[in-house]
Amino acid sequence: MNWKKTAIIVIDVTLAVYLLLAITAFNKPDGKGMVCNKVRIDIRDGVVDGFLNVDEIKAILVRHKIYPLAKPMENIDIRQIEETLCSSPFVNEAQCYKTQSGHVCIELTQRMPVIRIKADNGDDYYIDNNGGVMPNMKYCSDIIIATGNISRKYAQKVLAKVGNAVLSDRFWQNQIVQVNVLHDGTLEMVPRVGEHIIYIGEPTEIKEKLGRVEKFYRYGLSEAGWNKYSYINVAFDNQIICKKKKYNNSTI
């Protein structure tokens, strides 16, 4: 009798599995007859506004005749979409996938400009957060401009780190508008508020040096006035040297 019970159990389980698969197959859309009814584009931004938006991503795909909306799902080549988007100088990574509901989802990260280079030698380009060079094909507002004696190697190795350091701090991100590279490779920074120049000196320990300036802003300039000094020097450890507009030097 045991073998009969076992056979009945096996038959019941097999029937249940069959019914489950049948129901699933019945409810599953027919991929061959389905067309793309929605395209979702997700652009992940960084600390500053980048160059791309949803309309521009759509325009790239339309220009290459691979925008998937209203096309048969089976004919949509997601690898081609990814490769096309990654060929843009402003795209870092792109991922594309299809859903059973007829959606095509595109997720991408863009290369984030951290500083614009306008060198004395006529070079004009952007540096991204990884030190990569981006062509000056589009304008990006609210980004630091670097001027002066700037080689491409210096921009990639040094100014990229300076830009990242400034943008990592909300206060300085809104305050610094320009970096000037002197002939000896030292740096000056031009703030948005105040009629003074901040001399950084060697492009090292940027966060620490700006931290000292911020404290001076809070506890010094707040009482003395924002326009009292023309030059604030934080090149040396543990001190701030200020030059008044009358060019009298005082050490704090």
Coordinates of all heavy atoms in Angstrom, one line a residue, residues 132-170:
G132 N 40.2 63.2 -15.8 CA 40.1 63.1 -17.2 C 39.7 64.4 -17.9 O 39.1 65.3 -17.4
V133 N 40.2 64.5 -19.1 CA 40.0 65.7 -19.9 C 38.7 65.6 -20.7 O 38.4 64.6 -21.3 CB 41.1 66.0 -20.9 CG1 40.8 67.2 -21.8 CG2 42.4 66.2 -20.2
M134 N 37.8 66.6 -20.6 CA 36.6 66.7 -21.3 C 36.6 67.8 -22.3 O 37.0 68.9 -21.9 CB 35.4 66.8 -20.3 CG 35.3 65.8 -19.2 SD 34.1 66.1 -18.0 CE 32.6 65.9 -19.0
P135 N 36.1 67.6 -23.5 CA 36.2 68.7 -24.5 C 35.3 69.9 -24.1 O 34.2 69.7 -23.5 CB 35.8 68.0 -25.8 CG 34.9 66.9 -25.3 CD 35.5 66.4 -24.0
N136 N 35.7 71.1 -24.5 CA 34.8 72.2 -24.3 C 33.8 72.3 -25.4 O 33.8 73.2 -26.3 CB 35.7 73.5 -24.3 CG 34.9 74.7 -24.0 OD1 33.8 74.7 -23.4 ND2 35.4 75.9 -24.4
M137 N 32.8 71.4 -25.3 CA 31.8 71.4 -26.3 C 30.5 72.0 -25.8 O 29.6 72.4 -26.5 CB 31.5 69.9 -26.7 CG 32.7 69.3 -27.4 SD 32.4 67.5 -27.6 CE 30.9 67.5 -28.6
K138 N 30.4 72.1 -24.4 CA 29.2 72.6 -23.8 C 29.5 73.5 -22.6 O 30.6 73.3 -22.1 CB 28.2 71.5 -23.4 CG 27.9 70.5 -24.5 CD 27.0 69.4 -24.0 CE 25.6 70.0 -23.8 NZ 24.6 68.9 -23.5
Y139 N 28.6 74.4 -22.3 CA 28.9 75.3 -21.1 C 28.3 74.7 -19.9 O 27.1 74.2 -19.9 CB 28.3 76.6 -21.4 CG 28.4 77.6 -20.2 CD1 29.6 78.1 -19.8 CD2 27.3 77.9 -19.5 CE1 29.7 78.9 -18.7 CE2 27.3 78.8 -18.4 CZ 28.6 79.3 -18.0 OH 28.7 80.1 -16.9
C140 N 29.0 74.7 -18.8 CA 28.5 74.2 -17.5 C 28.6 75.4 -16.5 O 29.7 75.9 -16.2 CB 29.4 73.1 -17.0 SG 28.8 72.3 -15.4
S141 N 27.5 75.8 -16.0 CA 27.5 77.0 -15.1 C 27.9 76.6 -13.7 O 27.9 75.4 -13.3 CB 26.1 77.6 -15.0 OG 25.2 76.6 -14.5
D142 N 28.3 77.6 -12.9 CA 28.6 77.3 -11.5 C 29.7 76.3 -11.3 O 29.7 75.4 -10.5 CB 27.4 76.9 -10.7 CG 26.3 78.0 -10.6 OD1 26.7 79.2 -10.7 OD2 25.1 77.6 -10.6
I143 N 30.8 76.5 -12.1 CA 31.9 75.6 -11.9 C 33.2 76.5 -11.8 O 33.2 77.6 -12.4 CB 32.0 74.6 -13.1 CG1 33.1 73.5 -12.8 CG2 32.4 75.4 -14.4 CD1 33.1 72.4 -13.8
I144 N 34.2 76.0 -11.1 CA 35.4 76.8 -10.9 C 36.1 76.9 -12.2 O 36.3 76.0 -12.9 CB 36.3 76.1 -9.8 CG1 35.5 75.9 -8.5 CG2 37.6 76.9 -9.6 CD1 36.2 75.0 -7.6
I145 N 36.7 78.1 -12.4 CA 37.5 78.4 -13.6 C 39.0 78.5 -13.1 O 39.3 79.2 -12.2 CB 37.1 79.6 -14.3 CG1 35.7 79.5 -14.9 CG2 38.0 80.0 -15.5 CD1 35.1 80.7 -15.6
A146 N 39.8 77.7 -13.8 CA 41.3 77.8 -13.5 C 42.0 78.6 -14.6 O 41.8 78.2 -15.8 CB 41.9 76.4 -13.3
T147 N 42.8 79.6 -14.2 CA 43.5 80.4 -15.2 C 45.0 80.3 -14.9 O 45.4 79.9 -13.8 CB 43.0 81.8 -15.2 OG1 43.1 82.3 -13.9 CG2 41.5 81.9 -15.6
G148 N 45.8 80.8 -15.8 CA 47.2 81.0 -15.5 C 48.1 80.0 -16.3 O 47.7 79.5 -17.3
N149 N 49.2 79.7 -15.7 CA 50.3 78.9 -16.3 C 49.9 77.4 -16.1 O 50.4 76.8 -15.1 CB 51.6 79.3 -15.8 CG 52.7 78.5 -16.4 OD1 52.7 78.2 -17.6 ND2 53.8 78.1 -15.7
I150 N 49.1 76.8 -17.0 CA 48.6 75.5 -16.7 C 48.9 74.5 -17.9 O 48.5 74.8 -19.0 CB 47.0 75.5 -16.5 CG1 46.6 76.5 -15.4 CG2 46.5 74.1 -16.2 CD1 45.2 76.7 -15.3
S151 N 49.7 73.5 -17.6 CA 49.9 72.5 -18.6 C 48.8 71.4 -18.4 O 48.1 71.4 -17.3 CB 51.3 71.8 -18.4 OG 51.3 71.1 -17.1
R152 N 48.6 70.6 -19.4 CA 47.6 69.6 -19.3 C 47.9 68.6 -18.2 O 47.0 68.1 -17.5 CB 47.4 68.9 -20.6 CG 46.3 67.8 -20.6 CD 45.7 67.6 -22.0 NE 45.2 68.8 -22.6 CZ 44.3 68.8 -23.6 NH1 43.8 67.7 -24.1 NH2 43.8 69.9 -24.1
K153 N 49.2 68.2 -18.0 CA 49.6 67.3 -17.0 C 49.3 67.9 -15.6 O 48.8 67.2 -14.7 CB 51.0 67.0 -17.1 CG 51.5 66.0 -16.0 CD 53.0 65.6 -16.2 CE 53.5 64.7 -15.2 NZ 55.0 64.3 -15.4
Y154 N 49.6 69.2 -15.4 CA 49.3 69.8 -14.1 C 47.8 69.8 -13.9 O 47.4 69.6 -12.7 CB 49.8 71.3 -14.2 CG 49.7 72.0 -12.9 CD1 50.8 72.0 -12.0 CD2 48.6 72.7 -12.6 CE1 50.7 72.7 -10.8 CE2 48.5 73.4 -11.4 CZ 49.5 73.4 -10.5 OH 49.4 74.1 -9.3
A155 N 47.0 70.1 -14.9 CA 45.5 70.1 -14.7 C 45.0 68.8 -14.3 O 44.2 68.7 -13.4 CB 44.9 70.6 -16.0
Q156 N 45.5 67.7 -14.9 CA 45.0 66.4 -14.6 C 45.5 65.8 -13.2 O 44.7 65.2 -12.5 CB 45.4 65.4 -15.7 CG 44.8 65.6 -17.0 CD 45.2 64.6 -18.1 OE1 46.2 64.8 -18.7 NE2 44.4 63.6 -18.3
K157 N 46.8 66.1 -12.9 CA 47.3 65.6 -11.7 C 47.1 66.4 -10.5 O 46.9 65.9 -9.4 CB 48.9 65.4 -11.9 CG 49.3 64.5 -13.0 CD 48.9 63.1 -12.7 CE 49.4 62.1 -13.8 NZ 48.9 60.7 -13.5
V158 N 47.0 67.8 -10.7 CA 46.9 68.7 -9.5 C 45.5 69.3 -9.4 O 44.9 69.2 -8.4 CB 48.0 69.7 -9.6 CG1 47.9 70.7 -8.4 CG2 49.4 69.1 -9.6
L159 N 45.1 70.0 -10.5 CA 43.9 70.8 -10.4 C 42.6 69.9 -10.2 O 41.6 70.4 -9.6 CB 43.7 71.7 -11.6 CG 44.8 72.8 -11.7 CD1 44.5 73.6 -13.0 CD2 44.7 73.7 -10.5
A160 N 42.7 68.7 -10.7 CA 41.5 67.8 -10.5 C 41.3 67.5 -9.0 O 40.2 67.6 -8.4 CB 41.7 66.4 -11.2
K161 N 42.4 67.4 -8.2 CA 42.4 67.2 -6.8 C 41.9 68.4 -6.1 O 41.1 68.4 -5.1 CB 43.7 66.7 -6.3 CG 44.2 65.4 -6.8 CD 45.6 65.0 -6.2 CE 46.0 63.7 -6.8 NZ 47.4 63.3 -6.3
V162 N 42.4 69.6 -6.6 CA 42.0 70.9 -6.0 C 40.5 71.0 -6.2 O 39.7 71.4 -5.3 CB 42.7 72.0 -6.7 CG1 42.2 73.4 -6.2 CG2 44.2 71.9 -6.3
G163 N 40.0 70.8 -7.4 CA 38.5 70.9 -7.7 C 37.7 70.0 -6.8 O 36.7 70.4 -6.2
N164 N 38.1 68.7 -6.6 CA 37.4 67.8 -5.8 C 37.4 68.2 -4.3 O 36.4 68.1 -3.6 CB 38.1 66.4 -5.9 CG 37.7 65.7 -7.1 OD1 36.6 65.8 -7.6 ND2 38.6 64.9 -7.7
A165 N 38.5 68.8 -3.9 CA 38.6 69.3 -2.5 C 37.6 70.4 -2.2 O 37.0 70.5 -1.2 CB 40.0 69.7 -2.2
V166 N 37.6 71.3 -3.2 CA 36.7 72.5 -3.0 C 35.2 72.0 -3.1 O 34.4 72.4 -2.3 CB 36.9 73.5 -4.1 CG1 35.9 74.6 -4.1 CG2 38.3 74.1 -3.9
L167 N 34.9 71.1 -4.0 CA 33.5 70.7 -4.2 C 33.0 69.8 -3.1 O 31.8 69.6 -2.9 CB 33.3 70.0 -5.5 CG 33.5 70.9 -6.8 CD1 33.4 70.1 -8.0 CD2 32.5 72.0 -6.8
S168 N 34.0 69.2 -2.3 CA 33.6 68.3 -1.2 C 33.1 69.1 0.0 O 32.5 68.5 0.9 CB 34.7 67.5 -0.8 OG 35.8 68.2 -0.2
D169 N 33.2 70.4 0.0 CA 32.8 71.3 1.1 C 31.7 72.2 0.6 O 32.0 73.0 -0.3 CB 34.0 72.1 1.6 CG 33.6 72.8 2.9 OD1 32.9 73.8 2.8 OD2 34.2 72.5 4.0
R170 N 30.5 72.2 1.1 CA 29.4 73.0 0.7 C 29.7 74.5 0.7 O 29.4 75.2 -0.2 CB 28.2 72.6 1.5 CG 26.9 73.4 1.1 CD 26.4 73.1 -0.2 NE 26.0 71.7 -0.3 CZ 25.4 71.1 -1.3 NH1 25.3 71.8 -2.4 NH2 25.0 69.9 -1.3

